[in-house]
């Protein structure tokens, strides 16, 4: 069930260039279980900025009623969020959307997790849940540079982890796709979240394989009412059938929607 | 009688608060949050004869205290709205106001004729003010004579009262209001969004794929207030006011301006519970302000002026 609650800041820490890790406490954590879902955050009361910000859930801690978001403080809204201190309240609507299907991998399988930049956070909760089920994970994480990199150690604790940076300051120089082509990684299922060009490349390279992609789009309501974040479906690419990223997604089976 | 009960053509409203068209879909999403019977009415998403996908994305961009949208009248088409959405809404007692849109006069007439037969549709909202479609929409709402003619034709086929949704993107909104009143409109809804644009700092290009979009949210409230104030003194049909309403105080302000009911749009995206919250707050606010019934607030802005003139004389 979707809840609206003023959650309390437990901790907030800058973990890389413009990247913040924010842990909140609230009863709505009891509604969170599937990885890859998101919450809609009102960063301030009042009309400026007006709209909520969709931010993915990076870590769920049900026993403490806490969850963690990792976000980039880029625009005015997320910069205001970055100023929140422990004890402050944050207006959260969620959890929203449909996340990564953990059930698509079975114990003994290998899952490939590919994330680009701020697309990486939801893969962390996914990695935790997959490894807990006895699934081997291989993570390939892409960043701009070493100073923008985060959570590579946390992923490495859960499984084999490779990093790519565009400037080559950490790991392989280039994109996550450079890592994938240089090493032939075999996996039973692919889960990915990141920029559209990355998702398109993965959709092509993993054609016919079991793959799930998480999309990002400018959203309004976050619950499926406003039709801001629609995309065409693959079976009717020019027609009027559609999926909403906020409520049908953000995670789709590769090939289901037009990226 | 309840302090909030309002009687309008075709609409017996237990309270004067309703979600605005395009901001509430067909109600399904918001029914997860509260009982839709709490609402005075529901203005459903614009319906066209055939299904429409709408515009490419990005379709929304945030602005200071507001947002731009260019959805482009995405809807499942008349047949599905009648067969699936309106039938689903029949589980609620709340009267439905069906927003009628199209590209041509024939489109409007067809949708109006059919959708007005649905048992829970108590009124139509004739959308001659959508700024986000290339044909139809706003084209009918900016030329008074065209607006009047379309109103007459829709009135001739509609089984229920017709409210005409006015565009603020005109030089003289009073003229358009008077024209549609002369065309037989039973009421007005105003205002639709203001045409706007936002450019990307890095690329210099518009953020919206449609380039332009309709501005909504608290930033347009003063424009809506002024227009309702001006129009309500010049017509004798009721106005359902909209444009940036997010609180019970805003509802009262629109009543002061001359509205007889109020619709809430963009605020639903920020707070899914905004409509029931406003409805809950209104009786206490009216009491605080010394009113026994909400209708006592209606037109206070200009009625007070009349009294002042009288006193001086």
């Amino acid at each position: 069930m979707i809840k609206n609650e003023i959650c309390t800041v437990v901790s907030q820490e800058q973990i890389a260039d413009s990247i913040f890790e924010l842990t909140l406490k609230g009863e709505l954590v009891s509604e969170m279980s599937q990885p890859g879902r998101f919450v809609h955050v009102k960063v301030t009361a009042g009309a400026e900025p007006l709209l909520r910000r969709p931010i993915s859930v990076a870590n769920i801690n049900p026993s403490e009623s806490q969850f963690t978001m990792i976000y980039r403080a880029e625009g005015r809204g997320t910069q205001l969020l970055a100023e929140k201190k422990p004890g402050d309240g944050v207006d959260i609507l969620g959890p929203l959307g449909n996340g990564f299907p953990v059930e698509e991998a079975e114990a003994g399988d290998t899952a490939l997790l590919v994330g680009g930049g701020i697309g990486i956070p939801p893969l962390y909760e996914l990695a935790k849940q997959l490894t807990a089920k006895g699934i081997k994970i291989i993570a390939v994480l892409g960043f701009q540079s070493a100073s923008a990199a985060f959570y590579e150690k946390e992923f490495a604790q859960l499984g084999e982890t490779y990093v790519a940076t565009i400037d080559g300051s950490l790991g392989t120089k280039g994109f996550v796709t450079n890592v994938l082509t240089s090493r032939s990684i075999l996996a039973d299922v692919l889960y990915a979240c990141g920029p559209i060009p990355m998702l398109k490349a993965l959709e092509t390279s993993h054609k016919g394989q079991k793959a799930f992609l998480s999309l990002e789009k400018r959203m309004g309501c976050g619950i499926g009412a406003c039709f801001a974040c629609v995309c065409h479906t693959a079976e009717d690419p020019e027609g009027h059938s559609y999926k909403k990223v906020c409520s049908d997604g953000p995670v789709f089976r590769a090939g289901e929607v037009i990226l | 009688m309840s302090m909030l009960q309002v009687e309008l053509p075709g609409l017996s409203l237990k309270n004067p608060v309703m979600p605005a068209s395009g901001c509430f879909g067909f109600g399904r999403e918001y029914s997860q949050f509260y009982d839709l019977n709490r609402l005075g009415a529901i203005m459903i998403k614009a319906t066209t004869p055939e299904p429409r996908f709408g515009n490419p994305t990005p379709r929304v961009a945030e602005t200071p205290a507001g947002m731009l949208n260019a959805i482009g009248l995405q809807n499942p088409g008349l047949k599905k709205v009648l067969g699936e959405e309106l039938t689903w809404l029949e589980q609620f007692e709340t009267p439905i106001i069906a927003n009628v849109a199209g590209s041509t006069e024939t489109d409007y007439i067809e949708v109006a004729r059919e959708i007005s037969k649905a048992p829970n549709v108590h009124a139509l909202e004739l959308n001659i003010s959508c700024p986000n479609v290339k044909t139809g929409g706003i084209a009918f709402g900016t030329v008074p004579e065209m607006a009047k003619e379309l109103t007459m034709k829709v009135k001739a086929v509609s089984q229920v009262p017709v409210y005409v949704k006015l565009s603020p993107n005109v030089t003289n909104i009073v003229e358009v209001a008077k024209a549609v009143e002369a065309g037989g409109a039973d009421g007005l809804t105003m205002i639709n969004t203001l045409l706007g644009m936002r450019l990307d700092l890095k690329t210099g290009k518009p953020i919206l794929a449609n380039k332009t979009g309709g501005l909504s949210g608290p930033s347009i409230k003063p424009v809506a207030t002024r227009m309702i104030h001006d129009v309500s003194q010049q017509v004798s049909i009721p106005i359902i006011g909209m444009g940036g309403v997010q609180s019970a105080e805003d509802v009262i302000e629109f009543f002061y301006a001359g509205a007889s009911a109020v619709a809430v749009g963009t605020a639903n995206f920020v707070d899914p519970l905004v409509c029931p919250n406003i409805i809950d707050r209104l009786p206490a606010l009216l009491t605080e302000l010394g009113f026994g019934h909400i209708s006592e607030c209606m037109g206070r802005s200009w009625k007070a002026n009349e009294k002042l003139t009288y006193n001086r004389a």
Side-chain angles (χ1 to χ4, degrees):
Chain A
M1 200 188 144
I2 305 169
K3 288 189 172 168
N4 186 198
E5 184 181 346
I6 306 297
C7 294
T8 308
V9 176
V10 175
S11 65
Q12 165 126 270
E13 197 187 335
Q14 184 167 0
I15 56 171
D17 278 356
S18 308
I19 305 290
F20 289 78
E21 180 194 58
L22 173 61
T23 298
L24 296 167
K25 191 180 176 74
E27 284 174 21
L28 55 72
V29 174
S30 65
E31 303 292 329
M32 295 179 177
S33 57
Q34 192 188 34
R37 302 183 75 193
F38 68 98
V39 292
H40 222 15
V41 185
K42 182 85 172 89
V43 296
T44 52
E48 181 54 29
L50 181 66
L51 300 175
R52 290 175 179 270
R53 269 66 184 154
I55 300 178
S56 62
V57 174
N59 193 2
I60 309 169
N61 181 351
S63 61
E64 302 280 333
S65 297
Q66 294 180 6
F67 73 101
T68 300
M69 303 184 288
I70 297 166
Y71 62 95
R72 181 159 52 213
E74 199 170 31
R76 195 171 131 65
T78 40
Q79 278 167 5
L80 286 166
L81 188 61
E83 290 172 11
K84 298 278 182 186
K85 302 272 183 295
D88 288 352
V90 183
D91 182 342
I92 301 287
L93 179 69
L96 302 175
N98 294 295
F100 292 110
V102 179
E103 67 280 4
E104 291 284 345
E106 288 170 22
D109 281 357
T110 299
L112 172 61
L113 278 55
V114 182
I118 209 61
I120 291 166
L123 298 176
Y124 182 64
E125 177 63 28
L126 174 67
K128 272 175 47 197
Q129 293 196 18
L130 289 172
T131 49
K133 266 184 71 181
I135 295 150
K136 184 188 169 200
I137 68 136
I138 302 172
V140 181
L141 313 175
F143 302 99
Q144 285 289 330
S145 63
S147 62
F150 61 90
Y151 265 48
E152 68 275 22
K153 289 184 191 69
E154 282 81 351
F155 276 94
Q157 283 172 7
L158 297 170
E160 212 175 311
T161 298
Y162 301 97
V163 172
T165 53
I166 292 170
D167 66 358
S169 53
L170 187 69
T172 304
K173 184 174 164 50
F175 298 101
V176 290
T177 42
N178 294 101
V179 175
L180 295 172
T181 48
S182 66
R183 301 166 189 275
S184 45
I185 297 170
L186 291 174
D188 300 290
V189 54
L190 166 73
Y191 298 101
C193 183
I196 290 291
M198 184 195 100
L199 298 179
K200 278 187 174 168
L202 291 170
E203 200 171 63
T204 309
S205 62
H206 289 72
K207 209 174 174 74
Q209 298 177 40
K210 200 194 274 185
F212 299 92
L213 312 177
S214 183
L215 273 60
E216 192 182 31
K217 249 197 166 96
R218 276 177 187 265
M219 287 181 189
C221 65
I223 59 169
C226 78
F227 290 80
C229 63
V230 298
C231 45
H232 284 285
T233 59
E235 57 185 33
D236 184 22
E238 305 286 321
H240 48 73
S241 77
Y242 62 87
K243 294 282 178 185
K244 298 169 190 166
V245 172
C246 71
S247 55
D248 296 316
V251 176
F252 294 97
R253 188 179 282 270
E256 187 181 354
V257 297
I258 304 292
L259 295 175
Chain B
M1 196 172 86
S2 149
M3 294 172 92
L4 302 182
Q5 179 81 29
V6 168
E7 303 298 326
L8 298 177
L11 301 165
S12 183
L13 308 177
K14 58 184 164 292
N15 67 67
V17 179
M18 63 193 82
S21 179
C23 300
F24 206 72
F26 295 92
R28 291 181 195 262
E29 293 78 14
Y30 289 90
S31 71
Q32 303 171 81
F33 294 93
Y34 60 90
D35 179 358
L36 302 186
N37 281 320
R38 303 208 47 210
L39 297 165
I42 298 171
M43 293 170 141
I44 57 172
K45 191 155 173 54
T47 301
T48 54
E50 299 300 324
R52 280 179 64 97
F53 181 82
N55 290 322
T57 57
R59 294 175 167 189
V60 293
E62 196 173 33
T63 60
M67 69 181 279
L68 290 164
N69 89 80
I71 306 298
L73 299 181
Q74 180 161 20
N75 77 93
L78 177 61
K79 207 172 143 192
K80 274 200 172 171
V81 171
L82 283 170
E84 293 173 18
E85 304 300 343
L86 282 166
T87 44
W88 180 83
L89 280 163
E90 275 178 36
Q91 65 184 293
F92 304 102
E93 291 161 14
T94 310
I96 306 300
I97 303 174
N99 186 293
V100 173
S103 306
T104 63
E105 200 176 84
T106 323
D107 285 352
Y108 283 99
I109 292 168
E110 182 191 345
V111 175
R113 182 194 291 122
E114 297 308 317
I115 212 164
S116 67
K117 291 175 188 165
N120 48 347
V121 170
H122 290 222
L124 301 186
E125 181 180 45
L126 189 58
N127 186 352
I128 55 167
S129 44
C130 177
N132 297 325
V133 290
K134 286 189 177 63
T135 50
I138 201 164
F140 290 99
T142 46
V143 182
E145 202 50 39
M146 274 177 80
K148 179 183 170 184
E149 263 184 44
L150 187 64
T151 304
M152 288 170 70
K153 287 178 178 159
V154 166
K155 268 297 285 180
V157 298
S158 177
Q159 308 289 314
V160 295
V162 176
Y163 292 68
V164 180
K165 188 165 191 172
L166 301 184
S167 171
N169 303 302
V170 294
T171 311
N172 187 345
I173 197 168
V174 172
E175 227 177 285
V176 186
K178 281 179 161 175
V180 300
E181 183 181 36
D186 299 283
L188 303 170
T189 68
M190 59 188 285
I191 56 176
N192 206 319
T193 54
L194 288 144
L195 198 54
M197 184 185 268
R198 217 190 114 190
L199 305 178
D200 184 278
L201 186 63
K202 286 175 189 156
T203 65
K205 303 285 187 236
I207 288 174
L208 297 175
N210 188 53
K211 296 187 176 73
T212 61
L215 181 64
S216 65
S219 55
I220 75 164
K221 204 189 85 184
V223 179
T225 307
R226 189 271 292 180
M227 289 183 160
I228 295 165
H229 170 268
D230 289 358
V231 169
S232 59
Q233 296 173 76
Q234 299 290 325
V235 297
S236 52
I237 49 177
I239 294 172
I240 301 175
M242 60 196 66
V245 171
Q246 19 173 35
S247 65
E249 286 76 5
D250 294 342
V251 171
I252 301 291
E253 190 174 353
F254 273 22
F255 268 77
Y256 286 162
S260 298
V262 170
V264 181
T266 304
N268 289 290
F269 303 158
V270 181
D271 176 8
L273 291 166
V274 65
C275 287
N277 286 345
I278 290 174
I279 294 162
D280 286 343
R281 167 83 179 119
L282 270 173
L285 179 61
L286 285 168
T287 305
E288 280 168 36
L289 294 167
F291 297 111
H293 191 273
I294 191 152
S295 59
E296 294 163 25
C297 308
M298 191 272 177
R300 197 172 172 85
S301 56
W302 40 267
K303 281 177 186 165
N305 291 346
E306 277 174 7
K307 197 176 171 189
L308 199 66
T309 315
Y310 175 75
N311 287 346
R312 275 181 190 157

